[in-house]
């Protein structure tokens, strides 16, 4: 009787311990909120619709922006260029099963090269890049960088570490490839045989 | 009366189309090797599937279409346009199998864009695609720039009179050397030499900018292919804005302009006729129209006070306009910035530059510099006739490799193609406007597609209407093959159905 009474609380305690242990992982996978403003709004939003002389709404303002570090860091002396994508593939790319969600979109960020050392992974076919949050001044046409649209960042924080992406070969593709190779070889032989039958001396 | 093609006509068209498609399959071995080198096994299997499909089509048609007959002019035109059609349908397989395309239509759009050196794309999550697929995208545009028929001529065709007819069918009519196979090989000699030098410069600059050696090399190679072929594809979604460097932009500008020049001009320079670049009507026309469009755009954007200083203003305007005028499609601004920053005047000026386009028999598209030159000369001739005594004989000539006197037949031919281009631009713009896009944006996007440029103001998106995708795809095809080959293919289809 005593045993039975202790069983359920023990199970509850065990479950709670498991939940606590799993909490960081669950928290890590929680969806990252959308940027405000996001890259699309930074490019598009104007003070007065249709009046380009008024300049862009966000131009010169300090923004907080996060996105997947993509490609590579390009260090130029003590500063560096990184590119942060805040698109549909920021947390998971197509190879990992993300639904297609349009083009990539993001922002170029000019930042201290030392700060970029925190970024462990840059996104490409085999990697999902770290999700990085930066704070800095948005320039619709940067005076320092030949009119480029960029953010001059003063701070950087890693929201989620990057990881390696596996893209295993799909078995149905292998079977399809083998079948097509067999047909192609057969037709190649047929082509050679019928060609020689018509004219034994003709080349291609 | 429409004459129905005979069995022998089908056989000769099938045989040579099959040869071109075998060439496309062989070309896919390069991205296959790239995938293997980077251990991208799923992508490698995609390419094996696509190569096998090309070989099945190529060997199958060659086995079925056994004939000794050589090509006539109409056969050559149908083979050229038909080859482009099937090369597009089969070349789309790797992108479709990659899972990065929304539909088969999207991949057809992308491959047609690659072959025609346009540069618009619907591929999604480009920043995560494999190196193999990126190699294929850029190889498509590099091969398409030289002409996929030129590739097949170089490696797979015998030197027959018919070979020249397929070559012309692909929108090229320059015979650099007496034999068309030698001409095709001369085109490759020029292109491969530029490929080596251009990749070296861009790769080296990429390393200076902080790229690792492997990425710098491949980015250099792919950006060269995009620039030389006036294609406009780039390995990152940021296009050449990725590099944030005036040095990289200058190298791109040199390659874009060189790629937009006529192969006959390249050959003249190659063989020591250096003064040709100064005298050629196409280079003169290009520099005049580029200067005018740059001046106008700079003036209006300076008024709008978009860029912080004169240097930034000129750098942005000149790069986008060289890219537009050479029909490359590289950009260092966001697509929507054409609307939000450049505004209607900037859009219209860029549209005009794209509509005029590059040189004939080059990798570029558009109405072409030689036609602009001939039309200008004809206009001057007419004005001189009006102000001269009736008895006087007024003649005008233009220089392209040799001096040619203007005559009515020549001018009529030039005007016919020019009107065909303008009609194509107009129809596409109207279709875009009917979908609710502002007219100047719809015109910008259609001209970009039909002149094989690839700049976008944001209309081209994976979720845009399917009919618009079809219109842009047809625009790219018609614009690249300069109408006649595609009309010949349509005529062939009509003759099969309705001929007697």
């Amino acid at each position: 009787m005593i045993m039975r009474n202790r069983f359920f609380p023990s199970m509850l305690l065990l479950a709670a311990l498991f939940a606590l242990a799993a909490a960081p992982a669950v928290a890590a996978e929680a969806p990252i909120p959308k940027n405000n403003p996001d890259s699309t709004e930074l490019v598009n939003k104007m003070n007065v619709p249709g009046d380009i002389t008024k300049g862009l709404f966000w131009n010169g303002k300090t923004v907080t922006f996060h996105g997947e570090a993509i490609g590579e860091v390009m260090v130029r002396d003590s500063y560096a260029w990184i590119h942060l994508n805040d698109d549909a593939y920021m947390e998971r790319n197509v190879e990992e099963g993300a639904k297609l969600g349009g083009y990539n979109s993001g922002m170029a960020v000019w930042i201290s090269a030392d700060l970029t050392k925190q970024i462990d992974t840059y996104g490409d076919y085999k990697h999902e890049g770290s999700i990085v949050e930066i704070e800095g001044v948005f320039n619709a046409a940067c005076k320092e960088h030949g009119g480029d649209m960029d953010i001059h960042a003063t701070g950087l924080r890693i929201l989620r570490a990057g990881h390696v992406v596996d893209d295993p070969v799909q078995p149905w593709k292998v079977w399809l490839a083998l079948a097509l190779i067999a047909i192609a070889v057969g037709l190649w032989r047929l082509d050679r045989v019928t060609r020689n039958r018509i004219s034994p001396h003709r080349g291609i | 009366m429409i004459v129905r093609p005979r069995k022998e006509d089908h056989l000769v068209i099938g045989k040579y189309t099959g040869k071109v498609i075998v060439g496309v399959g062989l070309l896919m071995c390069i991205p296959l090797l790239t995938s293997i080198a980077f251990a991208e096994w799923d992508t490698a299997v995609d390419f094996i599937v696509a190569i096998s499909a090309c070989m099945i089509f190529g060997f199958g048609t060659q086995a079925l279409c056994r004939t000794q007959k050589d090509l006539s002019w109409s056969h050559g035109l149908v083979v050229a346009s038909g080859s482009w059609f099937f090369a597009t349908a089969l070349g789309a397989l790797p992108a479709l199998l990659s899972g990065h395309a929304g539909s088969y239509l999207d991949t057809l759009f992308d491959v047609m864009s690659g072959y025609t050196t346009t540069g618009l794309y619907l591929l999604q999550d480009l920043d995560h695609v494999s190196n193999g697929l990126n190699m294929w995208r850029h190889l498509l545009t590099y091969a398409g720039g030289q002409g996929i028929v030129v590739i097949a001529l170089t490696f797979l065709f015998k030197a027959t009179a018919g070979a020249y007819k397929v070559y012309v069918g692909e929108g090229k009519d320059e015979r650099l050397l007496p034999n068309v196979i030698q001409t095709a090989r001369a085109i490759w000699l020029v292109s491969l030499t530029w490929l080596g030098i251009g990749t070296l410069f861009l790769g080296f600059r990429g390393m200076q900018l902080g790229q690792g050696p492997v990425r710098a090399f491949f980015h250099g190679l792919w950006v060269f292919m995009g620039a030389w072929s006036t294609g406009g594809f780039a390995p990152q979604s940021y296009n050449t804005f990725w590099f944030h460097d005036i040095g990289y932009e200058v190298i791109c500008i040199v390659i874009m302009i060189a790629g937009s020049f006529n192969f006959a001009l390249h050959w003249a320079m190659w063989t020591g006729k250096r003064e040709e670049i100064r005298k050629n009507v196409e280079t003169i026309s290009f520099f005049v129209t580029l200067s005018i469009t740059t001046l106008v755009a700079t003036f209006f954007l300076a008024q709008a006070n978009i860029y912080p200083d004169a240097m930034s203003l000129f750098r942005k305007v000149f790069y986008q306009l060289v890219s537009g005028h050479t029909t490359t499609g590289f950009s260092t601004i966001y697509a929507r910035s054409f609307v939000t920053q450049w505004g209607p005047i900037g859009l219209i000026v860029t549209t005009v530059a794209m509509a005029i386009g590059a040189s004939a028999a080059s990798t570029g598209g558009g109405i072409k510099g030689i036609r602009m030159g001939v039309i200008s000369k004809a206009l001057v001739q007419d004005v001189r006739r009006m102000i001269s005594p009736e008895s006087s004989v007024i003649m005008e000539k233009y220089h392209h490799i040799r001096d040619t006197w203007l005559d009515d037949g020549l001018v009529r031919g030039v005007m016919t193609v020019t009107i065909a281009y303008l009609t194509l631009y107009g129809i596409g713009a109207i279709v875009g406007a009917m979908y609710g896009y502002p007219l100047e944006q719809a015109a910008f996007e259609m001209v970009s597609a039909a002149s094989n440029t690839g700049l976008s103001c944001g209309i081209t998106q994976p979720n845009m209407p399917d009919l618009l995708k079809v219109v842009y795809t047809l625009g790219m095809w018609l614009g690249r093959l300069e109408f006649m080959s595609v009309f010949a293919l349509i005529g062939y289809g009509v003759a099969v159905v309705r001929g007697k």
Side-chain angles (χ1 to χ4, degrees):
Chain A
M1 193 68 186
I2 292 167
M3 286 282 287
R4 192 185 292 171
N5 283 346
R6 281 182 184 167
F7 180 75
F8 289 106
S10 311
M11 285 297 107
L12 274 173
L13 186 66
L14 202 61
L17 283 171
F18 271 118
L20 271 174
V26 172
E29 289 308 309
I32 289 174
K34 211 170 160 355
N35 269 318
N36 184 25
D38 65 9
S39 56
T40 309
E41 182 171 336
L42 287 171
V43 177
N44 289 349
K45 189 165 181 181
M46 289 182 284
N47 256 343
V48 181
D51 186 352
I52 59 172
T53 61
K54 299 292 182 188
L56 294 173
F57 181 83
W58 293 102
N59 188 28
K61 291 184 179 168
T62 299
V63 295
T64 304
F65 184 87
H66 61 254
E68 180 199 0
I70 203 83
E72 69 217 319
V73 57
M74 287 188 281
V75 177
R76 317 265 167 98
D77 298 324
S78 58
Y79 274 77
W81 282 109
I82 56 171
H83 296 84
L84 302 181
N85 282 4
D86 64 337
D87 50 26
Y89 319 101
M90 178 172 71
E91 295 180 59
R92 213 156 61 117
N93 64 43
V94 171
E95 270 64 45
E96 293 177 297
K99 282 186 182 169
L100 292 175
Y103 288 143
N104 297 112
S105 62
M107 274 286 138
V109 178
W110 180 244
I111 190 167
S112 157
D114 283 340
L115 287 174
T116 63
K117 287 175 184 161
Q118 297 175 52
I119 304 171
D120 62 356
T121 312
Y122 289 87
D124 58 23
Y125 176 64
K126 291 192 170 184
H127 301 91
E128 184 67 14
S130 303
I131 300 179
V132 175
E133 184 180 82
I134 54 99
E135 191 179 84
V137 176
F138 170 72
N139 302 296
C142 178
K143 188 171 179 139
E144 194 182 332
H145 296 114
D148 284 355
M149 187 175 283
D150 63 18
I151 299 172
H152 284 208
T154 48
L156 180 149
R157 187 164 71 100
I158 304 293
L159 297 185
R160 189 181 293 174
H163 58 267
V164 173
V165 173
D166 192 23
D167 188 20
V169 179
Q170 297 176 49
W172 69 268
K173 285 189 189 175
V174 177
W175 288 114
L176 178 65
L178 289 172
L180 292 178
I181 289 170
I183 298 169
V185 170
L187 285 170
W188 175 73
R189 280 297 304 157
L190 179 71
D191 180 43
R192 305 301 293 183
V193 169
T194 53
R195 180 183 308 184
N196 291 338
R197 237 179 245 164
I198 289 171
S199 170
H201 302 297
R202 282 186 62 216
I204 287 180
Chain B
M1 187 181 76
I2 302 169
V3 180
R4 189 194 293 267
R6 289 173 303 161
K7 186 185 171 190
E8 198 67 5
D9 296 311
H10 298 312
L11 292 181
V12 73
I13 288 168
K15 174 184 161 183
Y16 284 97
T17 305
K19 278 183 189 292
V20 177
I21 301 304
V22 167
V24 173
L26 292 175
L27 200 64
M28 283 187 191
C29 293
I30 296 173
L32 171 64
L33 291 174
T34 309
S35 299
I36 292 169
F38 284 97
E40 299 165 347
W41 305 117
D42 194 53
T43 309
V45 175
D46 294 347
F47 278 103
I48 291 171
V49 168
I51 291 167
S52 304
C54 288
M55 295 305 167
I56 289 170
F57 182 93
F59 293 133
T61 48
Q62 287 185 74
L64 287 171
C65 304
R66 191 67 65 200
T67 177
Q68 303 279 11
K69 192 177 174 182
D70 200 9
L71 292 153
S72 69
W73 278 107
S74 58
H75 294 147
L77 295 173
V78 175
V79 168
S81 54
S83 300
W84 278 64
F85 180 81
F86 288 110
T88 301
L90 294 167
L93 291 176
L96 184 68
L97 293 169
S98 76
H100 282 258
S103 65
Y104 186 54
L105 177 62
D106 288 8
T107 56
L108 290 179
F109 180 99
D110 278 22
V111 174
M112 183 61 86
S113 175
Y115 281 136
T116 57
T117 74
T118 304
L120 293 169
Y121 69 92
L122 297 172
L123 200 72
Q124 298 177 56
D125 198 12
L126 175 64
D127 290 333
H128 287 112
V129 302
S130 61
N131 288 302
L133 188 55
N134 247 329
M135 178 63 91
W136 179 230
R137 295 173 67 240
H138 292 87
L139 201 61
L140 275 175
T141 202
Y142 184 64
Q146 325 316 309
I148 53 174
V149 167
V150 169
I151 300 171
L153 283 172
T154 312
F155 300 108
L156 301 174
F157 274 45
K158 286 201 304 178
T160 63
Y164 180 66
K165 291 155 191 166
V166 198
Y167 172 73
V168 173
E170 202 172 33
K172 291 185 166 62
D173 53 5
E174 302 284 1
R175 223 177 197 174
L176 311 182
L177 294 163
N179 180 313
V180 71
I181 307 289
Q182 289 169 343
T183 298
R185 286 177 185 158
I187 288 175
W188 276 105
L189 178 66
V190 172
S191 292
L192 289 172
T193 306
W194 271 92
L195 176 78
I197 297 168
T199 304
L200 199 70
F201 270 87
L202 289 169
F204 185 67
R205 187 66 189 158
M207 282 170 66
Q208 286 182 324
L209 297 177
Q211 290 192 300
V214 175
R215 268 180 78 85
F217 168 75
F218 278 99
H219 276 226
L221 176 69
W222 293 332
V223 170
F224 172 83
M225 287 175 168
W228 168 259
S229 65
T230 68
F233 280 158
Q236 301 285 160
S237 63
Y238 293 78
N239 205 268
T240 45
F241 176 58
W242 180 262
F243 301 96
H244 308 279
D245 179 57
I246 193 168
Y248 213 90
E249 288 165 26
V250 168
I251 300 170
C252 286
I253 285 171
V254 171
I255 300 169
M256 285 191 276
I257 291 176
S260 78
F261 283 162
N262 196 309
F263 279 112
L265 175 63
H266 277 287
W267 193 245
M269 301 283 288
W270 190 272
T271 49
K273 296 168 193 154
R274 301 278 153 80
E275 74 285 359
E276 183 62 30
I277 197 163
R278 196 170 42 79
K279 291 161 63 180
N280 193 292
V281 67
E282 290 196 294
T283 48
I284 295 167
S285 164
F286 175 75
F287 285 110
V288 168
T289 48
L290 177 65
S291 303
I292 292 170
T293 48
T294 304
L295 273 173
V296 173
T298 306
F299 176 79
F300 281 100
L301 289 182
Q303 303 284 309
N305 206 20
I306 297 301
Y307 293 106
D309 53 53
M311 184 60 198
S312 301
L313 172 67
F314 180 75
R315 180 174 158 187
K316 288 292 178 202
V317 168
F318 190 65
Y319 190 85
Q320 316 317 311
L321 282 175
V322 167
S323 171
H325 207 318
T326 58
T327 71
T328 304
F330 277 170
S331 61
T332 54
I333 61 174
Y334 286 83
R336 286 304 290 171
S337 293
F338 278 114
V339 178
T340 60
Q341 289 185 293
W342 282 40
I345 301 286
L347 276 173
I348 291 166
V349 172
T350 314
T351 305
V352 170
M354 294 190 293
I356 296 169
S359 299
S362 71
T363 64
I367 292 169
K368 310 278 170 7
I370 194 162
R371 297 197 179 98
M372 295 307 293
V374 167
I375 291 169
S376 309
K377 293 269 184 185
L379 189 68
V380 169
Q381 188 182 28
D382 280 356
V383 170
R384 283 179 59 199
R385 274 181 187 160
M386 276 189 278
I387 58 173
S388 303
E390 276 186 37
S391 57
S392 57
V393 177
I394 307 294
M395 297 291 284
E396 281 284 343
K397 64 180 176 183
Y398 68 91
H399 180 84
H400 172 60
I401 309 299
R402 65 193 73 84
D403 286 342
T404 306
W405 292 102
L406 286 191
D407 62 52
D408 287 349
L410 176 78
V411 176
R412 194 187 316 122
V414 164
M415 285 304 294
T416 303
V417 179
T418 305
I419 290 167
Y421 269 109
L422 294 176
T423 308
L424 181 65
Y425 296 156
I427 290 170
I430 290 167
V431 174
M434 284 166 71
Y435 273 108
Y437 297 106
L439 185 60
E440 72 274 11
Q441 293 181 35
F444 181 99
E445 210 78 1
M446 181 58 193
V447 169
S448 178
S451 67
N452 308 127
T453 303
L455 287 173
S456 173
C457 64
I459 292 178
T460 300
Q461 294 273 346
N463 61 0
M464 73 176 175
D466 281 349
L467 178 63
L468 212 48
K469 292 177 188 173
V470 173
V471 168
Y472 289 169
T473 306
L474 289 174
M476 294 179 218
W477 192 28
L478 281 160
R480 181 68 173 88
L481 295 184
E482 301 209 329
F483 307 99
M484 292 317 293
S485 294
V486 181
F487 291 163
L489 182 68
I490 294 166
Y492 184 74
V494 170
V496 168
V497 176
R498 301 191 59 186
K500 291 176 184 171

